[in-house]
Amino acid sequence: MPRQLDALERQRFKAFFPNLDVDRAVVTGEGSTVYNCIAWTVGMTHRWIWPGNALADFDAFYYRFGIVRSGDGNIAAWGLSATDFQRRTETWWNKQ
């Protein structure tokens, strides 16, 4: 399934994430109401997960999977849907 963004997706995601290199971004699955990207990062594709609104909530969530924050990046979107999100500093977690 992995594929490049199509023209409409490149346009849409460039508007959402101006610093995203849409030519290098990869779609790993079609949009789903069953699970979100947070669930996907820990291998769950059967439920939607939202650890909380604070960075500490995400730290605690990922820690349960043996994953710890390792640094900050430039940009990310956190939210409940494609239209209900906030842009924040991207945070990276790494498996211990």
Side-chain angles (χ1 to χ4, degrees), residues 1 3 6 28 33 44 46 60 63 75 77 80 83-85:
M1 164 65 208
R3 63 174 177 76
D6 64 32
T28 59
T33 58
M44 292 185 190
H46 65 283
Y63 186 78
I75 195 166
L80 302 175
T83 58
D84 178 17
F85 68 91

Side-chain angles (χ1 to χ4, degrees), residues 37-80:
C37 60
I38 297 159
W40 183 85
T41 63
V42 294
M44 292 185 190
T45 56
H46 65 283
R47 61 184 281 206
W48 194 278
I49 296 176
W50 190 253
N53 292 325
L55 186 57
D57 298 326
F58 281 80
D59 287 341
F61 168 76
Y62 281 117
Y63 186 78
R64 293 194 316 257
F65 293 89
I67 301 169
V68 296
R69 187 161 27 112
S70 65
D72 294 325
N74 294 323
I75 195 166
W78 301 22
L80 302 175

Side-chain angles (χ1 to χ4, degrees), residues 3-14:
R3 63 174 177 76
Q4 298 297 310
L5 297 172
D6 64 32
L8 183 60
E9 289 169 329
R10 281 195 303 276
Q11 180 181 8
R12 187 177 68 202
F13 282 97
K14 192 64 172 176

